[in-house]
Amino acid sequence: MFSGAQVALYPMTDDFVRVILGSLSALDPYRDRFRIETDDLSTLLVGPPEQLFPAMRDLHVAASQRGVHCVLHATVSRGCPGEPDDPICTPIQGLEATTPLAQRIDAALAAVTNATATGQKVGAQLSLYPLGAAHHMDEIYGCIDFMKRSGVFGRSKNFCTTLRGDAGPVFATLSEAFLRFGSPEGHLALDLTVSANSPTAV
């Protein structure tokens, strides 16, 4: 299975170059697990699906800890039929195509309960797209039900759902949404925006 994310970081400060470059060391623990490619638009992370969101969490928290308003935007995908399998992208463990939706929700909630706090508050919005799934709305509604019970649910908006809280449980919730909904063998995409230190934060 191919899994990865195109990630862009936007610190709202004149000193954005220093903030971005200073936060890149947060990816060092993941470099042996990911293929990482950067250009003038975004950074591509290709690797195990369960490691994508911890890596993005650490990058965003590192950039946000200076107190500047910082936004991370990512398009995350797994199972894209147009991409070749990559041995670095290990299959999702413990998830079968026949696992009932209610059981997947319970497993996702259990995983979020164990998330470690980072001390950094964030707001996030996401849209989940289970592509090619016969019952894609069941998967989307199941994911929304999970997020409402996750402890970091913000509210439902047009075309997306918001989360608010510490970056640890927020990114854990995002990860579980990505890992547990949609067909395990099918193509799933997630559009994500995370903001920290916003001057207009709720």
Side-chain angles (χ1 to χ4, degrees):
M1 171 184 289
F2 189 92
S3 59
Q6 290 282 2
V7 183
L9 196 62
Y10 303 103
M12 311 299 176
T13 173
D14 291 342
D15 200 19
F16 66 92
V17 174
R18 184 182 65 83
V19 173
I20 292 172
L21 295 179
S23 65
L24 292 179
S25 61
L27 294 178
D28 288 349
Y30 302 93
R31 292 190 185 275
D32 62 338
R33 290 170 265 174
F34 283 107
R35 175 164 53 91
I36 302 176
E37 300 173 8
T38 298
D39 60 24
D40 61 333
L41 294 173
S42 61
T43 293
L44 172 67
L45 304 177
V46 175
E50 69 277 3
Q51 292 295 315
L52 290 170
F53 286 86
M56 288 189 284
R57 174 201 64 211
D58 293 350
L59 176 66
H60 189 244
V61 168
S64 303
Q65 66 186 1
R66 295 171 175 85
V68 300
H69 181 198
C70 188
V71 172
L72 178 146
H73 181 261
T75 302
V76 195
S77 175
R78 62 172 169 81
C80 179
E83 298 286 355
D85 285 342
D86 192 316
I88 202 170
C89 304
T90 54
I92 300 171
Q93 300 298 314
L95 186 60
E96 306 296 333
T98 56
T99 305
L101 184 57
Q103 188 175 328
R104 286 182 277 139
I105 292 171
D106 288 343
L109 289 168
V112 169
T113 300
N114 297 322
T116 302
T118 66
Q120 177 64 59
K121 299 294 185 186
V122 298
Q125 66 180 31
L126 72 147
S127 301
L128 187 77
Y129 303 102
L131 303 170
H135 303 287
H136 69 281
M137 287 309 300
D138 292 342
E139 295 296 318
I140 291 172
Y141 286 136
C143 184
I144 292 170
D145 179 42
F146 151 64
M147 289 188 290
K148 285 181 175 179
R149 298 161 57 191
S150 68
V152 292
F153 176 74
R155 67 186 181 97
S156 295
K157 296 171 59 177
N158 292 97
F159 319 123
C160 64
T161 299
T162 67
L163 306 174
R164 294 191 182 279
D166 186 273
V170 166
F171 273 91
T173 299
L174 294 167
S175 183
E176 292 302 310
F178 179 69
L179 295 173
R180 301 212 184 255
F181 299 93
S183 168
E185 296 85 16
H187 186 193
L188 182 135
L190 187 148
D191 184 74
L192 168 67
T193 302
V194 185
S195 174
N197 307 318
S198 170
T200 57
V202 175

